[in-house]
Amino acid sequence: MVATASRFDRLQASIEPFLRFFNSPGWSRANEPGIANFAVGNPQEMPLPGFVAAITKAIQPHDKDWFAYKLSEPNSRAVVAKTLRRRTGLDWDERDVFMTNGGFGAIAVTIRALIEPGDEVVFLSPPWFFYELLILAADGVPVRVRLSPPAFDLDLAAIEAAITSRTRIVLLNTPNNPSGRVYPVEAMRALADLLERASSRLGRPIHLLSDEPYNRIVFDGRSFHSPAEVYPNTVVTYSYGKTLLTPGMRLGYIAIPPTMPDRDHIRERIFLTQIATGFAFPNADLQHAIEDLETLSIDIGALERRRDRLVSALREIGYETTLPEGTFYVMAKAPVADDEAFSRTLADNGVLVLPGSVVEVPGWFRISLTASDEMVGRGMPGFAAALEAARESARG
């Protein structure tokens, strides 16, 4: 009799490369003086003064219930609905906005609300490293569609081939972490047509979960378009932690477009799932501050200039890289097949990056643009030295 892996073992296996990296000697050096840390999307500079001011104002109680239990507060829902109307042109209903404890909570709740045990969730690889974990945690079946580097184009034929009678969700992340791709509205329309055909064939809707935490971080004058603009059965998830570069302040939302049929039923499922997922609502102070937070953003122009400087320098040294259209991330090809080994070589030269195996792109590594400009300058000799060491080793 073959032993079946326990639920815990399956969850752990889904993020084994993540755990391996963050338990590695390299990551333990993250806060050492002189380290250029490009590994994750954490801030490397002080927070926005406007963010600090907004939280300081919001923490002052106005009444006895200021810090009482909070659900999705009416003012928070109204602020989000107003923003969504402006950004998409759709007439979003405040009742279709659900405030969550970050984008992580929003995705977890949405998957649990929309699937039953054994249902399939199609997601694109390279993914955010917790998608598979969250699908498994909801007793779903993860179905991976791999996209090819360095373009990471949306492969509609592969997505269609992955859809079966058990498919309930297709999960799309645009702007995409880690590839930096911002899929245009024409691609969204083609995906919508595909899902409409598949839904009609199956006799029930396939929901598109649109994970959009980077939808305000786009470069080169691009416009972001949500698939909710073209596909009614879309559920949008968002996190404020990216635009504000405050990932530890857990504020996000789930939103259902006004075009979705049977919204009343989906509303009920999401609300109940938020409670069952451990009261997955944001803290009171963050909801009190949301009107001010909506007006704030990190400097996207500065991020774009850092992208250009870093990509240009890496290519001049001899690396193959992507040129991201949005997000925080640049992907670079390692000069050896073992991206984890090369990441250790970089760490030995004072540079921390995320091995590509963590985001299912073996042979590559991910660089975060949230590193400071000073780190970019300081890190280039380390990138050069690691590449030369790899070349020397190959020459024997």
Side-chain angles (χ1 to χ4, degrees), residues 27 102 198 234 358:
W27 178 247
T234 297
V358 178

Side-chain angles (χ1 to χ4, degrees), residues 24-60:
S24 70
W27 178 247
S28 69
R29 302 176 57 189
N31 294 316
E32 287 182 8
I35 289 288
N37 188 349
F38 299 92
V40 295
N42 269 334
Q44 299 296 336
E45 299 173 298
M46 293 300 286
L48 292 170
F51 180 86
V52 177
I55 295 299
T56 301
K57 184 174 74 172
I59 209 74
Q60 304 303 317

Side-chain angles (χ1 to χ4, degrees), residues 1-18:
M1 181 176 179
V2 178
T4 302
S6 71
R7 187 167 181 270
F8 177 84
D9 289 339
R10 293 195 301 274
L11 295 176
Q12 186 175 48
S14 74
I15 57 168
E16 180 57 37
F18 174 90

Side-chain angles (χ1 to χ4, degrees), residues 198-278:
S199 297
S200 177
R201 185 173 70 250
L202 297 176
R204 52 160 181 75
I206 295 174
H207 287 95
L208 181 62
L209 197 172
S210 182
D211 181 25
E212 305 179 6
Y214 299 94
N215 65 20
R216 306 184 201 191
I217 304 175
V218 295
F219 305 137
D220 305 311
R222 288 181 175 83
S223 297
F224 170 79
H225 289 278
S226 171
E229 298 172 34
V230 295
Y231 186 62
N233 285 300
T234 297
V235 179
V236 171
T237 59
Y238 181 76
S239 166
Y240 286 88
K242 309 305 181 183
T243 304
L244 302 175
L245 196 48
T246 54
M249 303 296 279
R250 310 300 299 162
L251 179 64
Y253 62 76
I254 303 165
I256 305 170
T259 50
M260 180 184 283
D262 198 20
R263 283 183 292 151
D264 289 344
H265 177 61
I266 301 298
R267 287 173 187 162
E268 291 177 1
R269 293 183 70 98
I270 290 175
F271 176 70
L272 179 59
T273 306
Q274 281 189 276
I275 296 173
T277 308

